[in-house]
Amino acid sequence: MQKLLQHIKGDKVIWSIVVLLSLFGLLLVYSATGTLAYKNDKNASAYLIKQFAMIALGIGIIIAVHKVNYAKFSKISVLTYYLSIPLLLYTMFYGAKINEGSRWITIPVVHITFQSSDFAKLALFMYLARLLSMKQAVIKDFKKGFIPVLTPVLVICGLIAPENLSTALLLGATCCILFFIGRVQVRHILMLALAGLVGIIILVAASVYFDFGRGATWVKRIEDFRGKDASGNKKEDPFQVEQAKIAIANGGVAGRGPGNSQQRNFLPHPYSDFIYAIVIEEYGLVGGAVIVFLYLLFLWRCILLFRRCPYAFGAFLGVGLSITLVFQAMLNMAVTVHLVPVTGLTLPMVSMGGSSILFTSMSFGIILSISRYVDEMEGTKTGSPKKEGSKLFIQNGADKAAPVVTA
């Protein structure tokens, strides 16, 4: 153990949060998959073993990635971005359909599936952080600064939206925040938000009218959330929302205790989309508050890291990845308590998953790589300029708070 800890660098609080969320995930998945194991005629521990294997692999990925100098991700970001485009196109036309959505790619021979949007999210934030850091000198200019950083966001979100609108909206919102932090003109961001809203309306209307994509599903989810159909007639809550509310009511303040959930036998997907309902039923409002606190603590530590990081690429990359992870968690929990329509997003590192855990682990690893590098820099006392990979980072004379990387 002592030798292992010697290889663990970076923010210890973030490491602790990763471990705690993973342990929560193991307990909850074991509890929530009992009925699923029975239906599929599997051993009650089958899904626990699978989750443990994925968590162990994820931790291994975090350890490996956090040892890599994060500047190297700037070099590979161009490749990963352009690779994500054909993957998303393939998914759109030939992807495996699971839960009514074509979001998955099946790898031949090994028959392993993964969501191409998970890869695209990671690729987009690496590429966007690179562009923002390189365009700081002209970022206020619409043509020279804003259009180049906007284009990859429109491409990726546009390819994801037809089959996974919730992920596209999450990405778009996170990128708008990243634009604001990256000193993009506020009026340009507002123009983007307005154009995005119009684009969503057109996409949904076209999907319903021409009967392609998931337009009917999106409309139904909005109607279910409003409690009224298109004619204004009152509708009952959808079954999954109703069962989630029962689970929350059963949990009370202290919960029923680990493994004592009743609604796991009725709630659809209690191990993924609605796992937060099981959290509250078994651990009560106290347990639910602990989960919220862990994600908010993670975001706070990443914001501190953003303020400490002297270089634009690392700062933008760290804050972009952390915000999207926390936004996803908050949306998942908001769906469970019926604050927003059903989205299909999972709870990072807690919900049962395969590729989602691995890509989430990569994100944690990159954030810890930035933290490790910042800690090492703060531990050295030198006034000489530093190189990060093959790129020399300098301070922008017009804004000392916004370091930029030379192209």
Side-chain angles (χ1 to χ4, degrees):
M1 179 61 70
Q2 188 67 26
K3 290 183 179 179
L4 178 63
L5 291 176
Q6 290 177 354
H7 294 282
I8 301 299
K9 305 293 184 181
D11 194 307
K12 298 300 187 292
V13 175
I14 295 179
W15 272 111
S16 301
I17 292 169
V18 171
V19 172
L20 288 173
L21 289 176
S22 300
L23 291 176
F24 257 114
L26 288 173
L27 292 172
L28 291 163
V29 167
Y30 181 55
S31 175
T33 53
T35 302
L36 181 65
Y38 177 78
K39 289 180 179 178
N40 294 333
D41 196 23
K42 291 187 176 183
N43 186 283
S45 302
Y47 292 102
L48 172 65
I49 295 171
K50 178 183 177 181
Q51 182 76 358
F52 180 81
M54 297 309 302
I55 289 293
L57 182 58
I59 296 295
I61 289 174
I62 295 175
I63 294 174
V65 172
H66 101 290
K67 288 179 172 291
V68 178
N69 187 328
Y70 72 87
K72 296 183 184 299
F73 298 113
S74 175
K75 299 176 183 178
I76 68 170
S77 63
V78 179
L79 174 62
T80 55
Y81 168 71
Y82 284 107
L83 178 60
S84 67
I85 295 175
L87 284 177
L88 290 173
L89 287 170
Y90 179 86
T91 304
M92 187 184 300
F93 295 104
Y94 305 106
K97 289 189 177 293
I98 300 176
N99 295 333
E100 302 178 352
S102 179
R103 309 176 182 179
W104 303 80
I105 292 179
T106 302
I107 301 175
V109 182
V110 294
H111 300 293
I112 296 175
T113 59
F114 74 95
Q115 281 189 291
S116 55
S117 59
D118 287 334
F119 175 80
K121 281 193 297 184
L122 190 58
L124 175 62
F125 284 118
M126 289 193 297
Y127 189 56
L128 188 57
R130 173 188 172 89
L131 288 179
L132 280 172
S133 63
M134 295 178 66
K135 296 291 184 179
Q136 282 298 291
V138 293
I139 198 63
K140 302 289 186 181
D141 187 274
F142 184 79
K143 291 184 178 180
K144 296 180 180 179
F146 183 57
I147 293 298
V149 299
L150 173 64
T151 302
V153 177
L154 294 181
V155 170
I156 297 298
C157 290
L159 291 175
I160 292 176
E163 296 296 338
N164 197 346
L165 183 59
S166 56
T167 297
L169 291 175
L170 173 67
L171 271 178
T174 306
C175 289
C176 284
I177 294 175
L178 201 53
F179 286 158
F180 179 76
I181 295 173
R183 304 187 309 127
V184 172
Q185 294 271 26
V186 174
R187 67 172 182 271
H188 294 163
I189 299 174
L190 293 176
M191 288 168 53
L192 172 61
L194 179 61
L197 179 61
V198 173
I200 291 169
I201 294 173
I202 293 174
L203 173 63
V204 174
S207 179
V208 173
Y209 184 79
F210 295 105
D211 193 24
F212 75 92
R214 307 187 68 205
T217 301
W218 300 331
V219 172
K220 183 178 182 300
R221 287 180 173 179
I222 296 296
E223 290 177 351
D224 289 339
F225 178 70
R226 291 176 60 243
K228 296 180 180 180
D229 59 20
S231 302
N233 299 320
K234 188 175 181 180
K235 293 181 61 176
E236 293 184 358
D237 288 336
F239 181 76
Q240 55 197 17
V241 173
E242 185 178 81
Q243 296 303 314
K245 288 181 177 179
I246 294 173
I248 293 170
N250 288 341
V253 176
R256 289 178 172 272
N260 293 327
S261 169
Q262 293 182 348
Q263 296 313 115
R264 63 187 176 184
N265 300 318
F266 308 100
L267 184 63
H269 307 292
Y271 42 82
S272 56
D273 298 4
F274 283 86
I275 199 167
Y276 190 64
I278 307 302
V279 172
I280 298 179
E281 186 176 12
E282 295 192 355
Y283 299 93
L285 293 177
V286 174
V290 169
I291 294 290
V292 173
F293 172 76
L294 288 175
Y295 285 112
L296 292 180
L297 178 61
F298 166 68
L299 180 60
W300 179 62
R301 296 299 297 185
C302 290
I303 291 174
L304 293 181
L305 177 62
F306 166 76
R307 297 179 63 184
R308 290 168 56 205
C309 189
Y311 305 134
F313 174 71
F316 293 145
L317 181 57
V319 77
L321 292 176
S322 61
I323 287 176
T324 192
L325 287 173
V326 174
F327 268 21
Q328 179 176 331
M330 294 302 162
L331 278 174
N332 174 276
M333 292 183 277
V335 167
T336 300
V337 298
H338 203 42
L339 289 178
V340 297
V342 175
T343 61
L345 295 172
T346 57
L347 199 57
M349 296 303 286
V350 177
S351 294
M352 185 175 75
S355 62
S356 62
I357 290 178
L358 302 185
F359 284 111
T360 299
S361 298
M362 290 181 189
S363 298
F364 277 115
I366 293 172
I367 292 169
L368 286 165
S369 170
I370 299 169
S371 173
R372 171 176 174 264
Y373 189 83
V374 170
D375 288 345
E376 289 177 354
M377 281 199 61
E378 290 180 347
T380 59
K381 296 181 179 179
T382 174
S384 60
K386 296 182 182 295
K387 284 189 177 182
E388 192 171 45
S390 62
K391 302 286 184 179
L392 177 64
F393 288 73
I394 61 172
Q395 289 290 84
N396 183 1
D399 186 350
K400 294 296 183 181
V404 297
V405 56
T406 56

